[in-house]
Amino acid sequence: MSQLEEKTIKTEKIFSGRVISLQVDDVELPNGKTSKREIVKHPGAVAVIAIKDDNKIVMVEQFRKPLERSLVEIPAGKLEAGEEPINTARRELEEETGYVCDELEWLISFYTSPGFADELIHLYVAKGLKKKENAAQLDEDEFVNLVELTLEEAVQYVGEKKIYDAKTAFAVQYLQLKEALKK
Amino acid sequence: MSQLEEKTIKTEKIFSGRVISLQVDDVELPNGKTSKREIVKHPGAVAVIAIKDDNKIVMVEQFRKPLERSLVEIPAGKLEAGEEPINTARRELEEETGYVCDELEWLISFYTSPGFADELIHLYVAKGLKKKENAAQLDEDEFVNLVELTLEEAVQYVGEKKIYDAKTAFAVQYLQLKEALKK
C-alpha cells in the first residue's frame, strides 16, 4: 500500500467558495518523479433511501446547473459544520420532502469521485415515514418537486435517464437486491 | 420540469487544469432571485466490471491524492478527446490490469456528483478476459497494484472500507444482484 503513496511537495490554493474549494498539489510519485494533482474539497453529504409503508420510494426532482437539466434523485444534502451525518439525513429528508421518519439507519458511505474530489456521501435508509405539518423549509436557493415511485417505476426511470446519478442508481439497485433476496 | 430551471446570468472562469476546470455561474432562480453555482467541468470517464472465467473480479489498488489514501476500485479512466467510451474502457482495462477481453458490454451511465460537477461515468461489463503479453502501459504518473477478488471478498472489502467509492460499490452490488437473481 505504502509504495503507492504520493507525497505533497507544495499546495497551491486556487479557489474557496460557498460549497467547494480547489487546490493544486505538486506531488512526488512512487518513482521519484513529480506530477500535479487537481483536488476539489467538499464538506461531504448525506442521502436518504426513504421507503413509505406502501413501498413507494420518496425522491425529489431538482435542477442541476452543472448538467443544465433536472434529475430525479433520492433526498440529499451537504453536511453542515459540526453536524452529525444522521442529523443531516433527518433534516434534509424533512426539508426536501416534508416527511419525518420513525427509523433511520446507516447503510453505506462512499466517495463519489476519488480521482479529483474528497466528497464522501453517507447513505441512510428511512422507514416509518409520516408527512409533517409545517415541515422545515428548504434553503432559499433550493427548489424541488416531490416524486414518489414504485420500485418498478424507479427502474424504468433509470432506463430513461431521469434517474441518472450514482447515489440514486445505487439506491434503486439496493432495493432490487433486497427484493431479489426476499424471494 | 421547466419551472425548476436556473438561467445563467454570467459565467466566471476560475481555473482550467489538466483534468478539470472550474467556473462560477450567477443564476436566476425559479422565483426570480439570484444565486451562485460553483461548477466543476470534467471530461467524463469509464469504468469496467471485469469478470474472469473463474468468477474473480479484476480490480486495482490506487493512491487517491484527494483522500490521502489508496482505494481498491474497478479499472477506470478518463475519456480522451474524441474517444468512444467503449474504446476508453478497452484501453483502460488493458493499461491498468494487463487484461484484454472478448466481450465488453455497456451496463449503465451515471453522474457522480451532480450538485457541483458534470462528470459522467460509463460503466461496462467485460468477460472472456485474457492476460496480454506486452500490454499497453499506464500513463507515466499512474501507479496501480492488481487485485483479484471473489465476490465474497469484494463484499468484505466494502465492509472494511477498502472498497469505498461509488462506482465500485455499485459494481459489487450489481454482482450481488446478479447472483441473487440466479437462485
Side-chain angles (χ1 to χ4, degrees):
Chain A
M1 198 121 148
S2 62
Q3 81 278 17
L4 294 171
E5 198 180 334
E6 300 175 353
K7 294 195 194 85
T8 308
I9 300 166
K10 199 186 79 177
T11 293
E12 185 189 0
K13 306 264 184 199
I14 305 286
F15 172 80
S16 181
R18 218 178 44 158
V19 179
I20 58 173
S21 63
L22 174 68
Q23 67 188 50
V24 177
D25 283 11
D26 288 350
V27 299
E28 184 186 320
L29 300 170
N31 64 0
K33 294 190 177 179
T34 59
S35 189
K36 284 183 185 291
R37 300 292 180 216
E38 298 156 10
I39 298 169
V40 172
K41 299 273 189 179
H42 185 281
V46 302
V48 184
I49 306 175
I51 306 156
K52 289 174 61 185
D53 292 345
D54 64 2
N55 277 323
K56 286 211 175 178
I57 315 154
V58 179
M59 301 206 187
V60 288
E61 185 191 6
Q62 186 169 9
F63 189 78
R64 292 305 202 172
K65 192 64 188 167
L67 322 179
E68 291 292 351
R69 58 162 288 188
S70 64
L71 297 181
V72 174
E73 298 172 45
I74 55 173
K78 287 178 296 291
L79 293 175
E80 290 184 1
E83 192 178 34
E84 281 296 318
I86 195 163
N87 295 332
T88 316
R90 206 177 290 280
R91 179 174 59 73
E92 289 288 346
L93 178 65
E94 183 178 335
E95 288 178 3
E96 294 200 341
T97 71
Y99 280 104
V100 292
C101 63
D102 290 335
E103 284 175 58
L104 189 60
E105 259 189 64
W106 177 80
L107 175 65
I108 189 173
S109 303
F110 45 64
Y111 290 103
T112 55
S113 296
F116 71 90
D118 72 348
E119 183 192 28
L120 181 65
I121 287 197
H122 307 282
L123 214 59
Y124 291 84
V125 177
K127 289 182 187 162
L129 300 184
K130 288 184 188 65
K131 268 280 180 188
K132 188 176 170 189
E133 302 262 331
N134 302 314
Q137 296 294 301
L138 285 168
D139 293 343
E140 61 172 12
D141 66 346
E142 273 191 303
F143 299 84
V144 305
N145 291 335
L146 189 64
V147 179
E148 302 190 359
L149 300 175
T150 63
L151 177 54
E152 198 178 10
E153 288 167 335
V155 171
Q156 195 182 325
Y157 271 41
V158 172
E160 295 167 354
K161 298 181 176 177
K162 291 177 185 167
I163 290 176
Y164 204 13
D165 78 298
K167 67 180 177 307
T168 310
F170 183 93
V172 172
Q173 195 180 57
Y174 165 78
L175 295 169
Q176 286 180 292
L177 175 58
K178 245 185 69 178
E179 195 64 30
L181 292 174
K182 242 191 246 168
K183 282 168 189 163
Chain B
M1 194 120 151
S2 61
Q3 82 279 16
L4 295 170
E5 196 180 334
E6 301 176 352
K7 292 193 196 90
T8 308
I9 300 166
K10 198 186 79 176
T11 294
E12 186 189 359
K13 306 263 182 199
I14 305 286
F15 172 80
S16 182
R18 217 178 43 157
V19 179
I20 57 173
S21 63
L22 174 67
Q23 67 189 51
V24 177
D25 283 9
D26 288 351
V27 298
E28 185 186 319
L29 300 169
N31 65 359
K33 294 189 177 179
T34 60
S35 189
K36 284 183 187 290
R37 299 291 180 219
E38 299 155 11
I39 298 168
V40 172
K41 299 272 188 178
H42 185 283
V46 301
V48 183
I49 306 175
I51 307 156
K52 288 174 60 184
D53 291 345
D54 64 3
N55 276 324
K56 286 212 174 178
I57 315 155
V58 179
M59 301 206 189
V60 289
E61 185 191 7
Q62 184 170 12
F63 188 77
R64 293 304 203 172
K65 192 66 188 169
L67 322 178
E68 291 293 350
R69 59 163 288 190
S70 64
L71 296 181
V72 174
E73 298 173 46
I74 54 174
K78 289 180 294 294
L79 293 176
E80 291 185 358
E83 193 179 34
E84 282 296 317
I86 195 164
N87 295 333
T88 316
R90 203 176 292 279
R91 178 174 58 73
E92 289 289 345
L93 178 64
E94 183 178 335
E95 288 178 4
E96 294 199 341
T97 72
Y99 281 104
V100 291
C101 64
D102 289 335
E103 283 175 57
L104 189 61
E105 258 188 66
W106 177 80
L107 175 65
I108 190 174
S109 302
F110 44 64
Y111 290 103
T112 54
S113 296
F116 71 90
D118 71 348
E119 184 194 27
L120 181 64
I121 286 197
H122 307 281
L123 214 59
Y124 290 84
V125 177
K127 288 183 188 161
L129 300 185
K130 289 183 189 65
K131 268 283 182 186
K132 187 177 169 187
E133 301 263 331
N134 301 314
Q137 295 294 302
L138 286 168
D139 293 343
E140 60 172 14
D141 67 346
E142 272 191 303
F143 299 83
V144 305
N145 290 335
L146 189 64
V147 179
E148 301 191 1
L149 301 175
T150 63
L151 177 55
E152 199 178 11
E153 288 166 335
V155 171
Q156 195 182 323
Y157 270 41
V158 172
E160 294 167 355
K161 297 180 178 179
K162 290 176 188 167
I163 289 175
Y164 204 12
D165 78 299
K167 67 181 177 304
T168 310
F170 183 93
V172 173
Q173 195 181 56
Y174 165 77
L175 295 169
Q176 286 180 291
L177 176 58
K178 245 185 68 178
E179 195 64 30
L181 291 175
K182 240 191 248 168
K183 282 168 188 162

